[in-house]
Amino acid sequence: MSLEQLIKNCIKQDAKAQSQLYKQYASKLFSVCLKYSNNYAEAEDNLHDAFITVFNKIDQYKNKGSFEGWLKRIAINTALQRYRENVGVFDIVNEDNIKDVSVDINDDDVSLEFLLKIIQELPDRYRLIFNLYVLDGYSHVEISELINISVGTSKSNLARARLILKDKIENYKANSNSQSL
């Protein structure tokens, strides 16, 4: 069945089409949910809630942009909504104190597994901003609107996330170098 037909059938609340859509996109959306969740169980809840939203709003998809992108946005928004409900307030910062921190990573220095692990270990607010900005390409303006914070807070939290990651990578590399001597 073509994607267009699958969407039409989902609009009609066809359970088989909904099941097929779920099977086709669940693993991709689960990885998105996992990036924005504290743990595996919360990611599963976010995935479930995202699909409920998808099935309730699929008639709003207007074939503009990729369908997968539309699904991904719903999954991200679902996770962000849960985060907003559970957390509340972000640090308020003075934008003048923000430094742009870059993290230089050589593929030979650290593994992708290690990077994903240390990103997941970031404090929630830093991980959230880092994922939105670096991994999913949202601007600070978009992030501020999504989670109701100032642009400066978004920038500050990104800088702090990068500092934490930089420190962890440097420690990892120092420990790896001392063990290989």
Side-chain angles (χ1 to χ4, degrees), residues 167-181:
D167 288 345
K168 287 185 178 205
I169 290 168
E170 287 173 356
N171 287 338
Y172 175 81
K173 288 181 352 186
N175 289 335
S176 295
N177 289 338
S178 67
Q179 291 176 358
S180 62
L181 296 176

Side-chain angles (χ1 to χ4, degrees), residues 51 85 112 135 143-144 172 176:
F51 269 103
E85 290 168 358
L112 179 60
L135 301 180
I143 293 168
S144 72
Y172 175 81
S176 295

Side-chain angles (χ1 to χ4, degrees), residues 103-105 109-110 114-115 117-118 121 162-180:
V103 181
D104 295 324
I105 301 169
D109 293 341
V110 294
F114 176 74
L115 286 174
K117 178 182 176 284
I118 63 174
E121 291 172 352
R162 286 180 167 165
L163 276 174
I164 293 168
L165 294 174
K166 183 179 181 182
D167 288 345
K168 287 185 178 205
I169 290 168
E170 287 173 356
N171 287 338
Y172 175 81
K173 288 181 352 186
N175 289 335
S176 295
N177 289 338
S178 67
Q179 291 176 358
S180 62

